[in-house]
């Protein structure tokens, strides 16, 4: 459109068509009824079980359609009516958790550095950094720093196959909804749809390669699939045409992919920030008509360049769309460290009970001869003597020792004075790793077995197959909210935190997303420094019990 | 001293190289690269992709800002100025090419001009400062390409400027801004997390972004390292680090600086005479030679109707194999198109890639007659590839010519006169001829320039009014000035 290119600010994009829901908007009562009935959404939504069939012009399924085109068709074609209750519930939990983790992350050093850096940019179009009402950045950089905040402690959600899905998507949508106010306004359902499209694209892409199923060895998945998820979510939110959805994916691929070797450093959180930013940039460039390869997802020299074995498949028709999030939930972490360490913490807590029978007793480090961890071979989480917060978050050994010594792992467990305690360094020397052949590096199947042998020869063994927070043993809604309250306690007043919890609980009924984004820039309350640590020590006091054998 | 890691040896090189290390040879070669990159960049400001990325970058502003070349009123944050100027340089695929394969200058030069303008220093940046940083940026790219067999060939997975260019940009920026050894190393680590774009976007508007992003991301990595951001200390040593971009990666600690030899001293770059993939330059060369058999005198038309078959014996480079290109960018990556355009027109120039040229019925007819063969001895390396063309007429006659080395390749370098002629043609619509001549002189004596702002000021001189028709003819310099083609 000529008008767009003439305009100095191309972001003055033509208004979206109002998303017309065929299905009547559901009220809270309907939702409650749904939950109590356990009924399928289609059963009560009226006479029209799959209303989009009547309204959506679905391209005829052709064998010749490319994978890339099928993704663009999915991004462009999914409607709010496709969202199931299950997907709505799960995605709202992800949004709440990502927000809380992000607010907590605004206290980190890496957040401070990337904020300093991003301050060199300004723009007439701007978005807020969460919790910093006076700190406005161009939407791309707001998404960047908020994305860094979310992953700054490695505290964000984890999916299977392995990636952190929410961090690359949510900051894009909050930044866009603030920077590009539209007519009609973005609703909560618009946000949920775009969010889920961004998550779905990431999930679908991870099913094209055997390599993607496992914990990564070359590229950090959020930097690969996250960049495309961001582009997909932004394209959906801004209502791009089918062709431009496809171009946004192609451009995003040229911005994707960061090697995993920067794990356990301050640079890893940038992978999520950049995924958010680069996907948004790709979308803006596609809006300006920039063109890339039409086969980007089909080619080994395209998206396949990031995988050793890549066999993409055309997506099924939208008539039979099933959300991956419907079938596979995410894991929520209870403490800020690599997901694989959560099994270690779980097993260590169980074995500790044999050695520290009553509260108040110290862990008898001196009696311990050897601590054996039977875990999968994940090199970048094998750090016998971590030297920094970031290394400790990627250390099986550290998490085991901290749990044994302290009885819990919390946010302050990764402060440098905790890591450097002489008791910890002493205990770390006793840790040995074993990689049983049946213990594969997959978040769906891995386990941790811990055996502590005392100097008198006694051995205690415990095993964790599933920690609390894993998708097989989901965090309760109460504990998820508790995590959110703790994470936001230094940056939000408790009124604001409660409002956010409520708004996200009912996000599908929110008429105007600006209610949400306004709350994200409420100034922080004055809080005593000491308050935070204790507020964050929620883990293993609220857990409904550990699974050990 | 025994160095611990490859990564550390790179940081030591970036940090330790001094102007005294620069040899005459390296100075001469790098000044030619700078002149050519500038000219190609000025020409690139007329492209559609440049227009789009400029529109995009306009959403950003900053108190610290740099100029977009030739646009005195268009200031951007230094990262975005480097981005759009980098896109301009690669917008037509007209920039220099090195061996192993990459476009070395485009990721480095825009970074240095943007920084020298945005961050005025005391003492001022001199021409030698710029040359040193430029060469450090080039050297790092070259060294990295020697760590993998895969990097020696024309790429199949990742576009090399997006991989090594990002690190070259970070190295050049770190050197220019005088970062400490530790921060030079951190800048490399952060840059790796921003590197690498798959090659599949070749022949589209997105490919020029790879160079723009390499420039921008390397500068961003440097700024973040300056702020103290930390990355892996082993980034160049690990297969899960920089090695993630290669199937086979075996990095080696660099030799001590005492015995430093610049790769540019040993291996010069190729300068293109027309804006298309380097491999098509052998095709153009061979096609020009075979054309002489069929078009004996000037003014005669190429006898397309008599042609039965055009056979090109070239290496197997899939992304330059495009039998019927549909866009400017596809035509620049088409062995077939370049062969036909040369046969029909007798020269390949900037306007050869305009859509009305690509869409001519005569071209489409001739394209149908082209066949490719990939002889087993013709490998996809810019150092060894050749093009043999055989035209068979309907009466059975066959003419065959071969190009081993086109004019502009490092084995047959572009004369200084022709390089300047290319620069003048490339800048003719954006710079006055006075400004163009001043730039030629300043770059000729860059090592003596006391203050780089003399250079950057010239880069923002407003464009003169020029008649639209003037440009095409001014750019038709190729094959009229060539000192002769090598055919057998």
């Amino acid at each position: 459109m000529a008008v767009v290119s003439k305009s100095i600010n191309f972001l003055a994009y033509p208004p979206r068509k109002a998303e017309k829901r065929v299905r009547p908007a559901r009220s809270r009562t309907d939702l409650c009824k749904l939950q109590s009935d356990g009924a399928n959404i289609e059963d009560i939504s009226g006479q029209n079980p799959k209303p989009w069939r009547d309204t959506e012009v679905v391209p005829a399924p052709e064998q010749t359609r490319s994978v890339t085109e099928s993704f663009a068709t999915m991004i462009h074609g999914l409607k709010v009516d496709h969202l199931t209750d299950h997907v709505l519930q799960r995605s709202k939990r992800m949004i709440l958790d990502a927000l809380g983790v992000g607010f907590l992350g605004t206290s980190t050093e890496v957040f401070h550095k990337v904020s300093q850096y991003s301050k060199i940019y300004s723009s007439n179009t701007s978005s807020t950094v969460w919790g910093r009402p006076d700190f406005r950045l161009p939407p791309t950089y707001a998404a960047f720093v908020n994305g860094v905040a979310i992953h700054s402690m490695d505290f964000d959600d984890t999916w299977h196959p392995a990636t952190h899905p929410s961090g690359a998507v949510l900051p894009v949508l909050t930044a866009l909804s603030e920077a590009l106010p539209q007519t009609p306004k973005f609703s909560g359902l618009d946000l949920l749809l775009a969010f889920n499209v961004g998550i779905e694209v990431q999930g679908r892409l991870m099913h094209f390669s055997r390599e993607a199923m496992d914990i990564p060895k070359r590229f950090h998945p959020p930097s690969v699939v996250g960049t495309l998820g961001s582009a997909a979510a932004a394209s959906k939110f801004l209502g791009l045409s089918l062709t431009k959805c496809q171009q946004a994916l192609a451009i995003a691929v040229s911005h994707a992919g960061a090697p995993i070797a920067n794990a356990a450093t301050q640079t890893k959180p940038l992978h999520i920030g950049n995924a958010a930013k680069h996907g948004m940039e790709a979308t803006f460039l596609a809006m300006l008509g920039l063109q890339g390869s039409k086969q980007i997802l089909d080619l080994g020299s395209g998206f396949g360049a990031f995988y050793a074995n890549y066999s993409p498949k055309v997506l099924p028709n939208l008539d039979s769309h099933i959300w991956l999030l419907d079938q596979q939930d995410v894991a929520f972490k209870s403490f800020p460290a690599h997901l694989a360490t959560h099994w270690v913490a779980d097993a260590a807590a169980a074995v500790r009970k044999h050695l520290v029978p009553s509260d108040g007793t110290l862990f008898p480090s001196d009696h311990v001869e050897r601590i054996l961890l039977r875990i999968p071979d994940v090199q970048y989480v094998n750090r016998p003597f971590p030297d920094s917060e970031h290394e400790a978050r990627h250390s099986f050994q550290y998490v085991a020792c901290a749990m044994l010594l302290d009885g819990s792992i919390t946010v302050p467990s990764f402060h440098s004075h905790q890591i450097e305690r002489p008791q910890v360094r002493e205990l770390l020397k006793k840790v040995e790793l074993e990689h049983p052949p049946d213990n594969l590096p997959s978040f769906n199947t891995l386990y941790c077995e811990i055996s502590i042998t005392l100097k008198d020869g006694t051995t205690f063994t415990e095993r964790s197959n599933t920690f609390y927070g894993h998708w097989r043993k989901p965090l309760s809604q109460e504990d998820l909210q508790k995590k959110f309250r703790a994470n936001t306690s230094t940056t939000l007043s408790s009124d604001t935190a409660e409002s956010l919890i409520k708004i996200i609980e009912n996000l599908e009924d929110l008429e105007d997303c600006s209610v949400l984004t306004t709350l994200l820039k409420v100034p922080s309350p004055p809080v005593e420094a000491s308050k935070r640590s204790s507020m964050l020590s929620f883990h293993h006091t609220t857990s409904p019990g550990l699974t050990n054998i």
Side-chain angles (χ1 to χ4, degrees), chain A:
Chain A
M1 203 175 275
V3 185
V4 177
S5 59
K6 267 184 206 155
S7 155
I8 289 212
N9 187 344
F10 72 89
L11 295 175
Y13 196 64
R16 293 167 310 136
K17 275 184 292 179
E19 175 96 8
K20 282 235 176 78
R21 266 181 298 159
V22 176
R23 196 174 69 203
R26 278 162 294 142
S27 67
R28 282 308 299 158
T29 353
D30 286 336
L31 269 182
C32 296
K33 195 161 58 176
L34 271 180
Q35 281 158 357
S36 55
D37 294 348
N40 187 298
I41 181 68
E42 280 88 26
D43 299 338
I44 63 140
S45 62
Q47 314 72 7
N48 197 358
K50 296 211 173 188
W52 57 87
R53 274 187 180 155
D54 303 334
T55 54
E56 172 72 348
V57 184
V58 181
E62 294 165 38
Q63 297 306 316
T64 51
R65 250 191 348 153
S66 72
V67 174
T68 313
E69 194 185 337
S70 77
F71 270 72
T73 304
M74 179 180 81
I75 295 165
H76 183 256
L78 283 173
K79 303 263 180 263
V80 290
D81 301 293
H82 286 92
L83 293 167
T84 66
D85 271 15
H86 215 198
V87 162
L88 284 176
Q89 285 313 114
R90 286 180 168 179
S91 54
K92 288 187 295 183
R93 281 162 61 89
M94 293 159 79
I95 290 171
L96 184 71
D97 190 57
L99 279 178
V101 165
F103 274 107
L104 177 64
T106 60
S107 64
T108 58
E109 194 186 341
V110 58
F111 174 82
H112 180 69
K113 285 175 184 170
V114 299
S115 310
Q116 283 296 113
Y117 167 66
S118 299
K119 272 184 189 163
I120 69 170
Y121 303 105
S122 59
S123 172
N124 290 331
T125 311
S126 67
S127 312
T128 328
V129 176
W130 296 346
R132 305 278 173 106
D134 301 327
F135 187 9
R136 299 186 66 79
L137 288 173
T140 41
Y141 283 86
F144 172 63
V145 300
N146 289 329
V148 169
I150 288 179
H151 198 54
S152 57
M153 294 183 177
D154 212 332
F155 207 3
D156 45 335
D157 54 11
T158 308
W159 210 10
H160 177 72
T163 198
H164 304 287
S166 299
V169 173
L170 185 62
V172 171
L173 300 176
T174 61
L176 287 176
S177 111
E178 217 189 321
L180 305 177
Q182 310 256 324
T183 319
K185 292 181 191 304
F186 290 115
S187 71
L189 259 181
D190 292 333
L191 190 143
L192 279 165
L193 176 62
F195 180 84
N196 275 295
V197 166
I199 302 299
E200 180 76 7
V201 162
Q202 296 181 63
R204 295 281 174 179
L205 290 172
M206 285 186 297
H207 282 86
F208 291 164
S209 156
R210 183 52 238 164
E211 192 180 350
M213 301 305 279
D214 292 343
I215 299 173
K217 290 190 173 166
R218 288 202 306 149
F219 290 98
H220 190 210
S223 70
V224 180
V225 298
T227 309
L228 274 79
S230 161
S235 298
K236 187 72 199 173
F237 206 46
L238 299 176
L240 266 60
S241 70
L242 180 63
T243 311
K244 291 193 171 172
C245 286
Q246 190 163 340
Q247 296 297 359
L249 289 176
I251 303 164
V253 166
S254 271
H255 291 73
I260 190 76
N262 275 325
T265 76
Q266 286 180 336
T267 300
K268 194 175 82 156
L270 271 67
H271 295 175
I272 299 250
N274 277 328
K277 168 172 175 283
H278 288 152
M280 199 196 288
E281 274 188 315
T283 306
F284 287 165
L285 289 163
M287 285 165 75
L288 281 163
L290 193 83
Q291 286 153 12
S293 163
K294 287 181 181 149
Q295 302 276 314
I296 202 73
L297 300 181
D298 294 78
L299 299 171
S301 62
F303 190 71
F306 299 109
Y307 300 98
N309 39 23
Y310 181 72
S311 51
K313 285 184 191 58
V314 171
L315 297 176
N317 198 290
L318 283 181
D319 284 346
S320 48
H321 181 77
I322 294 168
W323 299 89
L324 291 175
L325 190 61
D326 235 338
Q327 305 175 306
Q328 170 67 61
D329 201 0
V330 299
F332 294 109
K333 294 177 178 178
S334 299
F335 58 86
H338 190 273
L339 196 73
T341 66
H342 283 62
W343 280 267
V344 174
D346 194 17
V351 84
R352 187 176 190 270
K353 288 183 185 156
H354 299 287
L355 297 156
V356 186
S358 64
D359 271 348
T361 327
L362 288 180
F363 179 76
S365 289
D366 291 346
H367 299 173
V368 171
E369 178 71 26
R370 187 173 87 133
I371 301 164
L372 180 63
L373 299 178
R374 293 187 190 88
I375 43 151
D377 184 10
V378 182
Q379 278 311 311
Y380 75 98
V381 195
N382 173 4
R383 297 181 193 266
F385 297 100
D387 278 327
S388 71
E389 158 205 346
H390 294 276
E391 289 187 9
R393 298 186 199 284
H394 293 78
S395 169
F396 288 124
Q397 293 92 337
Y398 177 74
V399 168
C401 293
M403 177 58 87
L404 290 174
L405 287 170
D406 306 329
S408 71
I409 310 269
T410 61
V411 170
S413 300
F414 299 94
H415 290 176
S416 57
H417 59 269
Q418 292 295 104
I419 302 167
E420 288 155 12
R421 283 178 294 171
Q423 314 91 292
V424 170
R425 309 312 281 190
E426 274 308 306
L427 203 56
L428 281 170
K429 292 181 194 159
K430 301 179 180 176
V431 181
E432 291 172 29
L433 304 188
E434 264 183 17
H435 307 305
D438 70 334
N439 203 351
L440 299 172
S442 156
F443 290 136
N444 210 32
T445 58
L446 80 81
Y447 64 86
C448 171
E449 198 171 271
I450 186 169
S451 288
I452 297 195
T453 305
L454 300 184
K455 290 189 172 150
D456 66 7
T458 329
T459 297
F460 298 97
T461 298
E462 290 285 354
R463 169 166 164 153
S464 167
N465 288 323
T466 308
F467 65 88
Y468 178 52
H470 189 273
W471 47 84
R472 286 192 297 268
K473 198 194 248 181
L475 212 62
S476 72
Q477 190 65 14
E478 192 193 341
D479 282 341
L480 189 76
Q481 292 177 357
K482 198 164 178 180
K483 179 182 175 191
F484 179 81
R485 289 189 190 98
N487 281 342
T488 56
S489 61
T490 53
T491 41
L492 297 180
S493 69
S494 71
D495 281 359
T496 309
E498 296 308 321
S499 301
L500 278 169
I501 289 173
K502 265 193 212 104
I503 281 176
I504 292 164
E505 186 81 30
N506 305 304
L507 194 51
E508 64 271 48
D509 301 324
L510 188 69
E511 280 179 23
D512 181 354
C513 272
S514 69
V515 178
L516 171 64
T517 52
T518 303
L519 284 171
L520 298 179
K521 50 185 167 181
V522 164
S524 14
V527 177
E528 323 85 86
S530 65
K531 201 172 160 191
R532 198 170 106 225
S533 311
S534 61
M535 294 188 71
L536 293 172
S537 307
F538 60 91
H539 185 59
H540 284 291
T541 56
T542 60
S543 159
L546 302 164
T547 313
N548 299 294
I549 54 159

